[in-house]
Structures are given as structure tokens and as C-alpha cells.
Amino acid sequence: MKKKESNSMLTRKIATNIFNKIFFENKTLNASLDNNKYFNNLNQKDKSFIYMLLSLTMRRHGQIKIIFKKYLKKKLPKNKNNLSTILTLATTEIIWLNTPDYAVTNSYVELVKKIDKSYLSGFVNAILRNIIRDKEKIKKIMPDITENVPKKMYQSLMKYYGKKTTKKIIEFFMIEPNLDVICSNKISSEQKQKLLSDLKGVEIFPNVIRSLYKGNIQSIYGYEDGLWWIQDFGSYLQFEHLYKKICLEYNKKDIQKLEILDLCSAPGGKTSQILDKGLKVISVDNNRKRINKMNENFKRLKLNPPIICQNVEELKFNKKFDVIVLDSPCSSSGTIRKNPDIFFRNKNFDYKKITQLQKLILKKSSNFLKINGFLMYIVCSIDKTEGEEIINNFCKKNKNFKIVPIDENILNIKKFDNYNSDGFLRILPHSFNYHKNIDFNGSDCFFSAIIKKIKD
């Protein structure tokens, strides 16, 4: 019994250390997990528990803080980050994870004794027991979910989307992300059915399987054979839309000859899409670590695109391209479902700096485009200053480019909601809301615009 309790305490100690890295040292969730040797030595079950605990805590952090602070008779001692984190994580388990009461109190009280002053264990024990006593009442009068969103972000959402849509966006921010698997065109119908069955998934779009799978990605059927790759449906839809536009402009023979440039290409989903259609592409990214990861994925998928490691601003080519895909650096605010640490890191985000970079990169990229060529500008941001405003501003200053409006008919996406923003493709977190099980709904948020070069 003691050994089990000790393991339970150890798991929560690791979760506490990782949360401190994210919350107090401004580290990312993924980097904090990857760089923690104790986490990496755990079994899959304990890893999954820690990930679920941390991601849920980050999503609900504003509500959690309000809840446990009601039970504090005095302020927490200064320089007691561990104590604050312990109360935060424990509240998550009590209210949202429904962990057995004794497991929560025993584990976290033992943890306080191990990493902090022993006299504080009684203080923590009393608070947790009070929360446990009132947990059903707390669930009935829960603080509003808007408390989880940084003030500046909430004001921005309200400005662009209004109260009703903002509330819906935040509701979907609170949902754990699903897994979207993109099937390669080489997959057979029998293999696809096997994949659907193993994942207990649904095909939400041709060759796109959505699942609630939480296990090891390498254990999924068809991994070694390169039958699929992971890519959010919201991201996948961007190039699919562009591809349909291209097909209307060129005959099949000419499409195969097109020269395509994929800029800021990591993690490689769009490059995989392009290559899987038998098209030629040069992939560019400025991060060697991300490129190495891309190469691993491409090797598994049996793809071998030329890759350049360089900043877009420094790129030079002695030729121009028919199609350019620019997945521009951005605030990543649209990926909160997968990266809830953005709630913390975006509190003081410098939007002026990022939009200046976006304008610079877009201008530079446009110079590589042939006349009558298409450029698709993409950001995984929910903020219109990084999307609609960037493109409208660019086309006002560059009269040799025109916006190519979205055509909802060519993608058959009429069944989805909230995807058209003044002729652009604007995917909101609740755009794909079609399944009776809400966990199967939603996506990351993306904006894309297609512009065409009509003259030099």
C-alpha cells in the first residue's frame, strides 16, 4: 500500500515541477514534457494522467484560482510557488477529474511534506478537505468559463466576434483536442476500414479520420507503412481548398508540372498533402530541430522533398513559383485546445512585433510568385489583426495582387459553420460542430487567404 501511495505522490510531484516550469518560467507544455527525464521514464498510463491533469488545469486555471482562494483565510506565503501549484492541481482533480478524495488529500499532503515545510501540510489538508466537502455545491455554481481567458484576449475576441460567438469559442477552448488522422492516397479501402475500426473513429471528410485515441501514436495501425499522418482538420482544409482552386485553373497534365514553394513548413502537414497528390514542392523552415522531426515523418511516409533551412527574409531564388503556401509565424492563439499554455504565454504577447514580421514575410514571399500564380497566406491565430487585416492591408498597397474569394461549393463544406470571413477561410474552434458527442467536434482555429498575382 505504501509503495502505491509513494508512486501516486511521485506522479504528482512530476506534474508540480512541470506546471511550475510552464506557469512561473514561461516554458511551453510540449518542451516541459520532452525535457523532463522523470516524466519520460514513466509508463504510458502515468504519462497520460499527467498530461490530462496539466492540460485541464491550464484550461480551467482562472476558475480553479477563484475556487481554492475562497478557502484561504490568509494569503499564501511569499515564494511558495509549489504550494500554489499543489492547491491548483489538487482542485482540478477534486472538481473535474473526480479522483477519489483520499487519493487527492493523501498524495498532495505527502507531497507538501516532501518538497516544502512540514507545518504547511496541515494547512493544505484543511483546504482540500473543505473543497471536497463543498465540491457538489461548487459544481453547481461554477465560476464563468470566461475567467480562464486572459483579459486582453477576451477583449480582442469580443471586439471581433461579439458576445455569443466569443462564449462559444471559449466553450470549445475547454474541450480536450481530438486526434485527426489524414489518410494517404495510397491507403486501400480495406486498410482505411481497419484504421477506422482500431481508432474507433469517424471519417469526417474524405480521407480524414477523427478519433478520441489517447495512446501511443506509433501503436496505431499503418504507422510503419506510412499510411497516414497527423494533422488538424482545420489545417488540412486550407491546402485542400487551394488545390481545388488550382484544379479549376489548370488541366491535370499541367498541375503535375507546377512548382510549389511551402514556406515556414514545419511540422510538415501541408508538404505531406502536396507530395501525396504527386506534386513537386520545395519546403522551407528556419528551425533545424523541426526540420529533423519533419524528415523523420517524411521518411516514414516514404516522401523525400528538398528542404531548405533558412529564414524567409533571407531567401533567394533564381526562379519564380506557380504556387506559394506561406504558413506565417503568429501568436498561435488558434491552437489553444492543443496548447493551453498559450493562455499564460499570450498575456503580454507583442502583436505589433508579430504583425510587422508577418507583413515583411508576406511581401518577401510575394516576390517569388509568377504572374497568375497563387499565394496562400495561413495563420493559426484567432486574432483578425494577424489574418484579415494583414491581407486587406497588403492588397491595398500592392495593386498587382487580388484576393481570390473562398468558394464553399468546391469543398462541400456547407454543412460546417463559421468558416467564411469576407471571402476568406476562417475556421473557428466550433466550426466543425456536427456530431452528437461534443468531444468529436471542433478544431484548431485557422485563417487563410488566397491572393493571385495579376501583373508585375
Short mmCIF file of all heavy atoms in Angstrom, two decimals, residues 148-188:
data_model
loop_
_atom_site.label_atom_id
_atom_site.label_comp_id
_atom_site.label_asym_id
_atom_site.label_seq_id
_atom_site.Cartn_x
_atom_site.Cartn_y
_atom_site.Cartn_z
N ASN A 148 -11.16 31.99 -17.47
CA ASN A 148 -9.95 31.27 -17.87
C ASN A 148 -9.16 31.98 -18.96
O ASN A 148 -8.03 31.61 -19.24
CB ASN A 148 -10.33 29.87 -18.37
CG ASN A 148 -11.04 29.05 -17.31
OD1 ASN A 148 -10.57 28.95 -16.17
ND2 ASN A 148 -12.18 28.48 -17.65
N VAL A 149 -9.76 32.98 -19.57
CA VAL A 149 -9.13 33.66 -20.71
C VAL A 149 -8.48 34.97 -20.25
O VAL A 149 -9.12 35.77 -19.55
CB VAL A 149 -10.19 33.95 -21.80
CG1 VAL A 149 -9.55 34.62 -23.01
CG2 VAL A 149 -10.89 32.66 -22.21
N PRO A 150 -7.22 35.20 -20.64
CA PRO A 150 -6.58 36.48 -20.29
C PRO A 150 -7.42 37.66 -20.75
O PRO A 150 -8.07 37.60 -21.79
CB PRO A 150 -5.24 36.42 -21.05
CG PRO A 150 -4.98 34.97 -21.24
CD PRO A 150 -6.31 34.32 -21.39
N LYS A 151 -7.39 38.73 -19.98
CA LYS A 151 -8.25 39.88 -20.23
C LYS A 151 -8.09 40.45 -21.64
O LYS A 151 -9.08 40.73 -22.34
CB LYS A 151 -7.96 40.97 -19.19
CG LYS A 151 -8.95 42.13 -19.23
CD LYS A 151 -8.68 43.11 -18.10
CE LYS A 151 -9.68 44.27 -18.13
NZ LYS A 151 -9.41 45.24 -17.03
N LYS A 152 -6.85 40.60 -22.08
CA LYS A 152 -6.60 41.16 -23.41
C LYS A 152 -7.16 40.27 -24.51
O LYS A 152 -7.71 40.75 -25.51
CB LYS A 152 -5.10 41.39 -23.63
CG LYS A 152 -4.54 42.60 -22.90
CD LYS A 152 -3.08 42.82 -23.26
CE LYS A 152 -2.51 44.05 -22.56
NZ LYS A 152 -1.07 44.23 -22.89
N MET A 153 -7.00 38.96 -24.34
CA MET A 153 -7.52 38.02 -25.33
C MET A 153 -9.04 38.08 -25.37
O MET A 153 -9.65 38.08 -26.44
CB MET A 153 -7.05 36.59 -25.03
CG MET A 153 -7.50 35.58 -26.08
SD MET A 153 -7.05 33.87 -25.67
CE MET A 153 -5.28 33.93 -25.92
N TYR A 154 -9.65 38.14 -24.19
CA TYR A 154 -11.11 38.19 -24.12
C TYR A 154 -11.64 39.46 -24.80
O TYR A 154 -12.62 39.42 -25.56
CB TYR A 154 -11.57 38.14 -22.66
CG TYR A 154 -13.08 38.16 -22.50
CD1 TYR A 154 -13.85 37.05 -22.85
CD2 TYR A 154 -13.72 39.30 -22.03
CE1 TYR A 154 -15.23 37.07 -22.71
CE2 TYR A 154 -15.11 39.32 -21.89
CZ TYR A 154 -15.85 38.21 -22.24
OH TYR A 154 -17.22 38.24 -22.12
N GLN A 155 -10.99 40.58 -24.54
CA GLN A 155 -11.40 41.84 -25.16
C GLN A 155 -11.27 41.79 -26.68
O GLN A 155 -12.12 42.31 -27.40
CB GLN A 155 -10.57 43.00 -24.59
CG GLN A 155 -10.89 43.33 -23.14
CD GLN A 155 -9.90 44.32 -22.53
OE1 GLN A 155 -8.79 44.51 -23.04
NE2 GLN A 155 -10.30 44.95 -21.43
N SER A 156 -10.21 41.16 -27.16
CA SER A 156 -10.00 41.02 -28.59
C SER A 156 -11.08 40.14 -29.23
O SER A 156 -11.62 40.47 -30.30
CB SER A 156 -8.61 40.41 -28.87
OG SER A 156 -8.41 40.21 -30.24
N LEU A 157 -11.41 39.03 -28.57
CA LEU A 157 -12.47 38.14 -29.07
C LEU A 157 -13.80 38.87 -29.14
O LEU A 157 -14.55 38.75 -30.12
CB LEU A 157 -12.59 36.90 -28.18
CG LEU A 157 -11.42 35.91 -28.24
CD1 LEU A 157 -11.61 34.80 -27.19
CD2 LEU A 157 -11.29 35.29 -29.61
N MET A 158 -14.10 39.62 -28.09
CA MET A 158 -15.36 40.37 -28.05
C MET A 158 -15.41 41.41 -29.17
O MET A 158 -16.45 41.62 -29.80
CB MET A 158 -15.51 41.04 -26.69
CG MET A 158 -15.83 40.08 -25.55
SD MET A 158 -17.51 39.44 -25.64
CE MET A 158 -18.43 40.89 -25.12
N LYS A 159 -14.27 42.06 -29.42
CA LYS A 159 -14.20 43.09 -30.45
C LYS A 159 -14.51 42.52 -31.83
O LYS A 159 -15.26 43.12 -32.62
CB LYS A 159 -12.80 43.72 -30.43
CG LYS A 159 -12.55 44.69 -31.57
CD LYS A 159 -11.09 45.16 -31.55
CE LYS A 159 -10.75 46.01 -32.77
NZ LYS A 159 -9.31 46.41 -32.79
N TYR A 160 -13.95 41.34 -32.13
CA TYR A 160 -14.08 40.79 -33.47
C TYR A 160 -15.27 39.86 -33.67
O TYR A 160 -15.78 39.73 -34.78
CB TYR A 160 -12.79 40.03 -33.84
CG TYR A 160 -11.60 40.92 -34.06
CD1 TYR A 160 -10.47 40.81 -33.27
CD2 TYR A 160 -11.61 41.89 -35.06
CE1 TYR A 160 -9.37 41.63 -33.48
CE2 TYR A 160 -10.52 42.72 -35.27
CZ TYR A 160 -9.40 42.58 -34.47
OH TYR A 160 -8.32 43.40 -34.68
N TYR A 161 -15.70 39.20 -32.59
CA TYR A 161 -16.71 38.15 -32.77
C TYR A 161 -18.02 38.38 -32.01
O TYR A 161 -19.01 37.70 -32.27
CB TYR A 161 -16.12 36.80 -32.37
CG TYR A 161 -14.91 36.41 -33.20
CD1 TYR A 161 -13.62 36.47 -32.67
CD2 TYR A 161 -15.05 36.01 -34.52
CE1 TYR A 161 -12.51 36.13 -33.43
CE2 TYR A 161 -13.95 35.67 -35.29
CZ TYR A 161 -12.69 35.73 -34.73
OH TYR A 161 -11.60 35.40 -35.50
N GLY A 162 -18.04 39.31 -31.05
CA GLY A 162 -19.26 39.54 -30.30
C GLY A 162 -19.44 38.55 -29.16
O GLY A 162 -18.74 37.54 -29.07
N LYS A 163 -20.39 38.83 -28.29
CA LYS A 163 -20.56 38.06 -27.06
C LYS A 163 -20.94 36.60 -27.29
O LYS A 163 -20.35 35.68 -26.69
CB LYS A 163 -21.62 38.74 -26.18
CG LYS A 163 -21.74 38.13 -24.79
CD LYS A 163 -22.70 38.95 -23.93
CE LYS A 163 -22.76 38.37 -22.52
NZ LYS A 163 -23.68 39.16 -21.66
N LYS A 164 -21.91 36.36 -28.15
CA LYS A 164 -22.41 35.00 -28.37
C LYS A 164 -21.34 34.09 -28.95
O LYS A 164 -21.11 32.98 -28.46
CB LYS A 164 -23.63 35.03 -29.30
CG LYS A 164 -24.28 33.68 -29.50
CD LYS A 164 -25.51 33.81 -30.41
CE LYS A 164 -26.15 32.44 -30.65
NZ LYS A 164 -27.34 32.55 -31.57
N THR A 165 -20.66 34.54 -30.02
CA THR A 165 -19.62 33.72 -30.65
C THR A 165 -18.41 33.56 -29.74
O THR A 165 -17.80 32.48 -29.67
CB THR A 165 -19.19 34.34 -31.99
OG1 THR A 165 -20.33 34.41 -32.85
CG2 THR A 165 -18.11 33.52 -32.67
N THR A 166 -18.06 34.62 -29.00
CA THR A 166 -16.94 34.54 -28.06
C THR A 166 -17.20 33.46 -27.00
O THR A 166 -16.30 32.68 -26.67
CB THR A 166 -16.70 35.90 -27.38
OG1 THR A 166 -16.27 36.84 -28.37
CG2 THR A 166 -15.65 35.80 -26.29
N LYS A 167 -18.41 33.41 -26.49
CA LYS A 167 -18.76 32.40 -25.48
C LYS A 167 -18.62 31.00 -26.06
O LYS A 167 -18.07 30.09 -25.41
CB LYS A 167 -20.19 32.63 -25.00
CG LYS A 167 -20.59 31.81 -23.77
CD LYS A 167 -19.92 32.33 -22.52
CE LYS A 167 -20.31 31.53 -21.28
NZ LYS A 167 -21.58 31.96 -20.71
N LYS A 168 -19.06 30.83 -27.31
CA LYS A 168 -18.95 29.52 -27.96
C LYS A 168 -17.49 29.15 -28.21
O LYS A 168 -17.08 27.99 -28.01
CB LYS A 168 -19.72 29.55 -29.29
CG LYS A 168 -19.74 28.22 -30.04
CD LYS A 168 -20.43 27.12 -29.26
CE LYS A 168 -21.92 27.32 -29.20
NZ LYS A 168 -22.60 26.13 -28.60
N ILE A 169 -16.68 30.12 -28.62
CA ILE A 169 -15.24 29.88 -28.83
C ILE A 169 -14.59 29.39 -27.55
O ILE A 169 -13.85 28.40 -27.54
CB ILE A 169 -14.54 31.17 -29.32
CG1 ILE A 169 -14.93 31.47 -30.77
CG2 ILE A 169 -13.02 31.05 -29.20
CD1 ILE A 169 -14.51 32.84 -31.25
N ILE A 170 -14.89 30.07 -26.44
CA ILE A 170 -14.27 29.70 -25.16
C ILE A 170 -14.76 28.34 -24.69
O ILE A 170 -14.00 27.55 -24.12
CB ILE A 170 -14.55 30.79 -24.09
CG1 ILE A 170 -13.89 32.11 -24.53
CG2 ILE A 170 -14.02 30.37 -22.72
CD1 ILE A 170 -14.26 33.30 -23.67
N GLU A 171 -16.03 28.02 -24.94
CA GLU A 171 -16.55 26.69 -24.60
C GLU A 171 -15.73 25.61 -25.28
O GLU A 171 -15.39 24.59 -24.67
CB GLU A 171 -18.02 26.57 -25.03
CG GLU A 171 -19.01 27.28 -24.12
CD GLU A 171 -20.42 27.23 -24.66
OE1 GLU A 171 -20.65 26.52 -25.67
OE2 GLU A 171 -21.30 27.90 -24.09
N PHE A 172 -15.39 25.83 -26.55
CA PHE A 172 -14.62 24.82 -27.28
C PHE A 172 -13.14 24.84 -26.90
O PHE A 172 -12.45 23.83 -27.04
CB PHE A 172 -14.81 24.99 -28.79
CG PHE A 172 -16.00 24.24 -29.31
CD1 PHE A 172 -17.28 24.73 -29.12
CD2 PHE A 172 -15.85 23.02 -29.97
CE1 PHE A 172 -18.39 24.03 -29.57
CE2 PHE A 172 -16.95 22.32 -30.43
CZ PHE A 172 -18.23 22.82 -30.23
N PHE A 173 -12.64 25.97 -26.41
CA PHE A 173 -11.29 26.00 -25.86
C PHE A 173 -11.15 25.03 -24.69
O PHE A 173 -10.07 24.51 -24.41
CB PHE A 173 -10.95 27.41 -25.35
CG PHE A 173 -10.48 28.37 -26.42
CD1 PHE A 173 -10.39 29.73 -26.14
CD2 PHE A 173 -10.10 27.94 -27.68
CE1 PHE A 173 -9.94 30.64 -27.10
CE2 PHE A 173 -9.67 28.83 -28.65
CZ PHE A 173 -9.59 30.19 -28.35
N MET A 174 -12.25 24.81 -23.97
CA MET A 174 -12.22 23.98 -22.76
C MET A 174 -12.23 22.48 -23.06
O MET A 174 -12.03 21.67 -22.17
CB MET A 174 -13.43 24.31 -21.87
CG MET A 174 -13.47 25.74 -21.33
SD MET A 174 -12.04 26.18 -20.33
CE MET A 174 -11.21 27.34 -21.42
N ILE A 175 -12.47 22.11 -24.31
CA ILE A 175 -12.58 20.70 -24.68
C ILE A 175 -11.22 20.15 -25.08
O ILE A 175 -10.48 20.77 -25.85
CB ILE A 175 -13.57 20.51 -25.85
CG1 ILE A 175 -14.95 21.06 -25.47
CG2 ILE A 175 -13.68 19.04 -26.24
CD1 ILE A 175 -15.92 21.09 -26.64
N GLU A 176 -10.88 18.96 -24.57
CA GLU A 176 -9.64 18.29 -24.95
C GLU A 176 -9.64 18.07 -26.46
O GLU A 176 -10.67 17.73 -27.04
CB GLU A 176 -9.52 16.94 -24.24
CG GLU A 176 -9.12 17.03 -22.79
CD GLU A 176 -7.64 17.32 -22.61
OE1 GLU A 176 -6.84 17.01 -23.52
OE2 GLU A 176 -7.27 17.86 -21.55
N PRO A 177 -8.50 18.26 -27.12
CA PRO A 177 -8.47 18.09 -28.58
C PRO A 177 -8.66 16.63 -28.98
O PRO A 177 -8.25 15.72 -28.25
CB PRO A 177 -7.07 18.58 -28.95
CG PRO A 177 -6.25 18.36 -27.72
CD PRO A 177 -7.18 18.62 -26.57
N ASN A 178 -9.29 16.43 -30.12
CA ASN A 178 -9.39 15.09 -30.66
C ASN A 178 -8.18 14.83 -31.55
O ASN A 178 -7.34 15.71 -31.76
CB ASN A 178 -10.70 14.92 -31.45
CG ASN A 178 -11.21 16.26 -31.98
OD1 ASN A 178 -10.46 16.99 -32.60
ND2 ASN A 178 -12.45 16.58 -31.71
N LEU A 179 -8.08 13.64 -32.08
CA LEU A 179 -6.95 13.27 -32.95
C LEU A 179 -7.46 13.17 -34.38
O LEU A 179 -8.38 12.40 -34.67
CB LEU A 179 -6.36 11.92 -32.52
CG LEU A 179 -5.18 11.42 -33.35
CD1 LEU A 179 -3.93 12.24 -33.06
CD2 LEU A 179 -4.91 9.94 -33.06
N ASP A 180 -6.88 13.95 -35.28
CA ASP A 180 -7.23 13.89 -36.69
C ASP A 180 -6.11 13.18 -37.45
O ASP A 180 -4.95 13.59 -37.40
CB ASP A 180 -7.43 15.29 -37.27
CG ASP A 180 -8.71 15.95 -36.77
OD1 ASP A 180 -9.57 15.23 -36.21
OD2 ASP A 180 -8.84 17.18 -36.91
N VAL A 181 -6.47 12.11 -38.14
CA VAL A 181 -5.53 11.31 -38.92
C VAL A 181 -5.85 11.49 -40.40
O VAL A 181 -6.98 11.26 -40.82
CB VAL A 181 -5.63 9.82 -38.52
CG1 VAL A 181 -4.77 8.96 -39.44
CG2 VAL A 181 -5.20 9.62 -37.07
N ILE A 182 -4.86 11.92 -41.17
CA ILE A 182 -5.04 12.14 -42.60
C ILE A 182 -4.52 10.90 -43.34
O ILE A 182 -3.34 10.55 -43.24
CB ILE A 182 -4.27 13.38 -43.10
CG1 ILE A 182 -4.56 14.60 -42.20
CG2 ILE A 182 -4.61 13.65 -44.55
CD1 ILE A 182 -6.01 15.00 -42.12
N CYS A 183 -5.40 10.25 -44.07
CA CYS A 183 -5.02 9.04 -44.82
C CYS A 183 -4.33 9.42 -46.12
O CYS A 183 -4.80 10.28 -46.86
CB CYS A 183 -6.25 8.20 -45.13
SG CYS A 183 -7.15 7.63 -43.68
N SER A 184 -3.22 8.75 -46.40
CA SER A 184 -2.54 8.95 -47.67
C SER A 184 -3.42 8.40 -48.80
O SER A 184 -4.21 7.48 -48.60
CB SER A 184 -1.20 8.22 -47.64
OG SER A 184 -0.64 8.15 -48.94
N ASN A 185 -3.24 8.95 -49.99
CA ASN A 185 -3.98 8.45 -51.15
C ASN A 185 -3.63 7.01 -51.49
O ASN A 185 -4.36 6.35 -52.23
CB ASN A 185 -3.72 9.35 -52.36
CG ASN A 185 -4.47 10.68 -52.24
OD1 ASN A 185 -5.62 10.71 -51.83
ND2 ASN A 185 -3.81 11.77 -52.60
N LYS A 186 -2.50 6.52 -50.95
CA LYS A 186 -2.10 5.14 -51.25
C LYS A 186 -2.81 4.11 -50.37
O LYS A 186 -2.67 2.92 -50.59
CB LYS A 186 -0.58 5.00 -51.09
CG LYS A 186 -0.06 5.18 -49.67
CD LYS A 186 1.46 5.20 -49.66
CE LYS A 186 2.01 5.48 -48.27
NZ LYS A 186 3.47 5.64 -48.27
N ILE A 187 -3.58 4.57 -49.37
CA ILE A 187 -4.26 3.64 -48.49
C ILE A 187 -5.40 2.95 -49.24
O ILE A 187 -6.09 3.58 -50.05
CB ILE A 187 -4.80 4.37 -47.23
CG1 ILE A 187 -5.13 3.37 -46.11
CG2 ILE A 187 -6.01 5.23 -47.55
CD1 ILE A 187 -5.42 4.04 -44.77
N SER A 188 -5.57 1.66 -49.00
CA SER A 188 -6.67 0.93 -49.64
C SER A 188 -7.93 1.08 -48.80
O SER A 188 -7.87 1.47 -47.63
CB SER A 188 -6.32 -0.55 -49.79
OG SER A 188 -6.28 -1.17 -48.51
#
